[in-house]
């Protein structure tokens, strides 16, 4: 089963990669991943971005320097600790991600149109269950790979490292983690 899924997933990944190459040719895969993490966790700090992208802090910092220079990210001092830097998408990055998703969905629509209604329903049902299991952390939690939320969905507190506590925020403001 895993081998058959791996083969089918290869086709899905090829569709996604074709859309990425067309819409984000000026960003590397690592840069695109970082932009997607910042989209999900608006205001994330550099340390947490490095953790979620499985990078060294110095590598994540250089990657962010390049994304700032490319007009994809903005850095801003933290609300509670001016030494802390928070990361935000620029409007150009938001447009790029919207274009990427639109292209990906267009490509998927063309493939899905060739499937039977029963096949599409079974695929959707299976993918939803797969997604639910992965998001609960039942698959791979020990491996440490993060599962991104769907577009527009925000996860919990992105600024809190495992084992940290978040400082309560004023109403309407996000919590801020205290780091050593």
């Amino acid at each position: 089963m895993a081998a058959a899924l791996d083969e089918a997933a290869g086709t899905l990944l090829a569709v996604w990669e074709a859309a990425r190459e067309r819409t984000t040719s000026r960003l590397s895969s690592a840069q695109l991943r970082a932009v997607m993490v910042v989209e999900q966790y608006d205001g994330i700090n550099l340390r947490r971005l490095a953790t979620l992208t499985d990078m060294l802090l110095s590598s994540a910092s250089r990657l962010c320097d390049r994304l700032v220079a490319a007009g994809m990210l903005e850095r801003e001092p933290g609300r509670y600790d001016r030494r802390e830097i928070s990361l935000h998408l620029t409007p150009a990055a938001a447009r790029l991600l919207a274009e990427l998703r639109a292209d990906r969905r267009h490509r998927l629509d063309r493939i899905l149109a060739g499937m039977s209604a029963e096949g599409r329903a079974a695929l959707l049902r299976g993918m939803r269950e797969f997604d639910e299991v992965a998001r609960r952390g039942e698959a791979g939690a020990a491996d440490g790979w993060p599962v991104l939320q769907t577009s527009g969905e925000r996860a919990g507190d992105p600024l809190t490292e495992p084992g940290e506590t978040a400082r309560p925020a004023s109403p309407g403001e996000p919590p801020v983690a205290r780091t050593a």
Side-chain angles (χ1 to χ4, degrees):
M1 176 64 154
L5 181 58
D6 183 52
E7 189 174 319
T11 302
L12 179 62
L13 290 173
V15 169
W16 281 39
E17 184 61 21
R20 188 196 74 77
E21 286 178 7
R22 182 179 172 276
T23 57
T24 63
S25 59
R26 63 184 187 198
L27 294 182
S28 69
S29 293
Q31 289 171 326
L32 178 60
R33 173 101 170 109
V35 167
M36 293 175 87
V37 169
V38 172
E39 176 192 40
Q40 181 182 350
Y41 300 107
D42 184 53
I44 191 171
N45 65 29
L46 190 57
R47 181 177 311 280
R48 188 68 175 141
L49 177 66
T51 299
L52 289 175
T53 55
D54 197 27
M55 300 177 91
L56 295 172
L57 185 58
S58 59
S59 298
S61 181
R62 286 190 302 274
L63 182 123
C64 285
D65 289 342
R66 290 189 296 274
L67 287 169
V68 168
M72 296 288 119
L73 289 184
E74 294 175 344
R75 288 182 167 144
E76 135 182 330
R79 291 187 175 137
Y80 296 103
D81 183 348
R82 302 307 244 172
R83 295 170 295 175
E84 183 90 9
I85 300 296
S86 60
L87 301 168
H88 306 277
L89 292 186
T90 63
R95 282 190 304 274
L96 183 102
L97 290 176
E99 184 181 326
L100 171 66
R101 288 186 179 107
D103 188 24
R104 220 169 39 199
R105 289 175 181 158
H106 174 73
R107 291 168 187 271
L108 290 171
D109 280 342
R110 289 194 334 233
I111 294 168
L112 292 168
M115 293 176 65
S116 68
E118 298 82 21
R120 287 191 304 269
L123 176 64
L124 181 58
R125 192 172 49 254
M127 290 302 296
R128 283 184 174 157
E129 184 176 342
F130 180 91
D131 184 51
E132 288 170 14
V133 170
R135 287 178 192 280
R136 282 194 309 255
E138 293 175 10
D143 296 333
W145 51 267
V147 177
L148 290 177
Q149 302 298 315
T150 56
S151 62
E153 187 178 321
R154 301 260 325 244
D157 180 7
L159 301 178
T160 304
E161 297 278 347
E164 290 181 334
T165 58
R167 182 170 138 188
S170 302
E173 292 186 6
V176 174
R178 307 304 295 174
T179 59

